[in-house]
Amino acid sequence: MKRLSIVSSLALMLASNAVYAETNITWWHAMGGALGETVNQIATDFNASQDEYTITPVFKGSYEETLTSGIAAFRAGEQPNIMQVFDAGAATVIGAKGATVPVQDLLTENGVEFDINDYISGVRYFYADADGKMIGMPFNSSSPIMYFNVDALAAAGVEAPKTWEEFETTTAPALIEAGYIPLAQSHSPWIFVENFVSRHNLPFATNDNGYTGTDTQILVNSDELKMHWTNVKEWLDEGKYAWYGASWDDNQAPFEEGKVAIWMGSSGSFGGLMQKDLPFEFSATYLPYWEAITTEPTQTFIGGASLFAMAGKSDEENAATAAFFQYLTSPEVQYMWHRETGYVPITTAAYELAKEDGHYDRFPAAEVGIKQLSLASGENTKGYRMGFYPQIRDVMNREFGRILTDETSVDAAFETIETEANELLSRFAMTQN
Amino acid sequence: MKRAGFSDRWLPVLFLLPQLTIIFIFFYWPAAHALRSSFFLQDPFGFGETFVGMKNYTMLLDSASYMRAAWFTVIFTSLVTFLSLSIALLLAVKADKVIRGAKTYRTLLMWVYAVAPPVAGVIGLVLFDQSWGPLRDFVALFGWDFRLGVNYFDTAFTLVVMSVWKQLPVNFIFFLSGLQSIPRSVREAALIDNRSAAGRFWDVTFPLLAPTGFFLLIINITYSLFDTFGIFDTQFKGEPGNNPMTLVYKVYLDGFRGNDLGGSSAQSVILMVLVLALTIFQFRMVERRIHYT
């Protein structure tokens, strides 16, 4: 009798397991603080929406730390199903063929309809290969935009500048007069190099900005960039621009305190700024451009990060990953993510939903990022693909810091950036054999 | 005299085995890997690699930023070692003379020992913060526009101050016990010979402290080179920028942030050789000349 009950209970256990056998997948991400809470919310909602799959998000630190942990885990055969990789790390992970399953293949193989044209144009090809196949699923896509203190600009009697010429001659002097520091920005390589070249449709690197080969050379030692940085240094000396070091937050804080009138940050900073209940009204607009360089400014690159499906997983787990991606790109989830964080909606459908819901009537600044990403495109606005790019950014940050603290000249700094970046690129090319 | 020993050859080996295994797994094996990687350029995910010979090394010698980090490391290590040793010695000599409340006084001086380097880094950030740091406000009284994280010199200053502060208690404890182990008779004899306290210190106390001092010298050099990592890491807030950095931090940046395994391995091999040289120097050259009492 006793034996029978054991057998029957075992059978029951097996049966219930079969019924409730969920496929578990993990997602390593770099979204801390309020962003992390929203990520957890998405995962909880996904788990509640069906009972075949369970996703577990794990916070792994900064973007760089997440990438490094993911790589180390992959080499040990312990990789997560989904890894979040930031813009600068794209070349590393896309270059390692066999490390990930291209998201486009993953979705079509698992019967999820996929059309790259559903994605908004600025987002579409950044994480794609040279043939336009999407490798990474854009997730938290952002673009640098120009935030401004509405009260400060009103006090100075100026509008947000459309061009750098306008900033230099009209906006900045009026803001200084009104007792404000006119300008700060939080990420020199991203805002004053990468999106500078995109906004002016300037080539960033050879090989179609790095997409079509690994023997790429960077093209930053250009008259346009040197002209811009010569001006930035002059603005610093004249008090039109203030620099608080390479850290993001140190440059954002003076804007929040109301000392700095115009701050360039990420469209993804919007959610955080809204939560902070600032003592002044703020709004945002496009990044300015130099009329001296172009009269037809173009769109910016997407920044932020994308999600990669790691290779070496079972079919069931890949099916779960595909189901999660399908859920994540649904208009409702995208709109929720966009609304809570300020990151842009990645599909046209989600953007339409946000418009219909009146989100932009309530918060016009929330639309700036996506509108800027949807401006006219050019041959150099698709993105860039360069290996060891996190280090190239570090080189830029170091040299820009040296320019701004009088340790080097603009010409010497850009020569150093070019030399060191090309050295890193040629080293990366050798790792790809 | 009868020589004690093992009759079985393998028994001592068996006793040594746990220790040897640990050294092999956590030191020799990774060190061998680093040495091998330093001659290759490797895809971060481990798919491909190219043999490049000495190129990872020659590149470092040609790199202005690496040389700048090397020079900063030399200056930083000398400053931190000299300052933390001399201040700790001064404090120990003074604390040795305290009679009333000696225990409380000494405990207070040792407290900082419990602070981990990253925490020391965060304290430095708070004290010297560029917009509301109390010490920044203090030095501003003297016309010093202190900008932590912006100005190279100011950042280096903060790094040195915090590293010295963190290391003082260790040196203090060792110097104090060193002072207390000097026999009373020696001190009393010196008191008769020389009336000047400073003279007695340099002629008698200081030479007798030499073994302690030398041991601390090595400990402090390795501390400045390696253990200050946490202080640097918190000061940089994720973006090294144009801030000064040591060679160890550069190994981390290139290897763990940049995923350049070959270049980073070459740098760690260089550091390994440096430590080896330091150890040989410690054992061969100086231990002979210093007499432990």
Side-chain angles (χ1 to χ4, degrees), chain A residues 64 68 71 75 92 96 98 243-246 250 388 391 394 397-398 401-402 405 407 423 427 430-433, chain B residues 41-45 48 50 56 59 65 68 130 147 149-150 152 237 239 241-242 256-258 260-261 263:
Chain A
E64 287 88 354
T68 303
I71 289 172
R75 295 181 72 134
T92 308
W243 185 64
Y244 302 90
D250 288 351
F388 285 155
Q391 277 155 296
D394 283 352
N397 252 328
R398 186 189 73 220
R402 285 162 56 80
T405 53
E407 282 183 48
E423 170 77 12
R427 286 170 64 74
M430 275 192 271
T431 70
Q432 298 294 300
N433 294 335
Chain B
L41 268 172
Q42 200 180 57
D43 166 64
F45 284 89
T50 312
N56 285 333
M59 179 199 72
S65 67
R68 212 168 25 237
Q130 52 173 305
R147 311 260 337 250
V150 176
Y152 185 90
K237 302 179 197 170
E239 286 294 341
N242 59 323
F256 290 86
R257 192 173 146 96
D260 175 8
L261 301 179

Side-chain angles (χ1 to χ4, degrees), chain B residues 99-266:
Chain B
I99 296 162
R100 207 175 285 217
K103 266 200 176 147
T104 321
Y105 187 58
R106 285 169 198 169
T107 311
L108 282 176
L109 277 169
M110 289 173 199
W111 250 1
V112 187
Y113 187 49
V115 176
V119 179
V122 172
I123 294 173
L125 281 178
V126 173
L127 290 176
F128 289 100
D129 184 273
Q130 52 173 305
S131 54
W132 40 263
L135 284 180
R136 185 209 73 109
D137 292 345
F138 176 71
V139 296
L141 295 177
F142 303 96
W144 185 356
D145 181 20
F146 199 92
R147 311 260 337 250
L148 176 64
V150 176
N151 184 296
Y152 185 90
F153 180 82
D154 295 350
T155 311
F157 180 85
T158 310
L159 289 166
V160 169
V161 168
M162 296 325 286
S163 305
V164 169
W165 176 71
K166 161 83 193 85
Q167 184 63 3
L168 279 181
V170 184
N171 297 346
F172 172 77
I173 294 166
F174 275 95
F175 273 134
L176 191 66
S177 58
L179 281 170
Q180 290 178 340
S181 66
I182 296 174
R184 194 158 200 76
S185 55
V186 177
R187 294 195 199 192
E188 278 165 1
L191 198 60
I192 297 166
D193 289 340
N194 195 339
R195 282 191 52 200
S196 146
R200 282 201 308 277
F201 174 77
W202 289 115
D203 291 341
V204 179
T205 316
F206 191 71
L208 285 170
L209 270 180
T212 313
F214 181 71
F215 166 75
L216 285 178
L217 179 71
I218 301 291
I219 293 286
N220 278 270
I221 290 174
T222 44
Y223 162 79
S224 318
L225 283 174
F226 299 101
D227 297 350
T228 49
F229 179 89
I231 298 179
F232 280 78
D233 198 43
T234 41
Q235 293 282 326
F236 294 166
K237 302 179 197 170
E239 286 294 341
N242 59 323
N243 293 316
M245 68 178 77
T246 53
L247 292 177
V248 170
Y249 200 82
K250 192 137 173 58
V251 169
Y252 161 77
L253 273 190
D254 289 351
F256 290 86
R257 192 173 146 96
N259 289 304
D260 175 8
L261 301 179
S264 176
S265 297

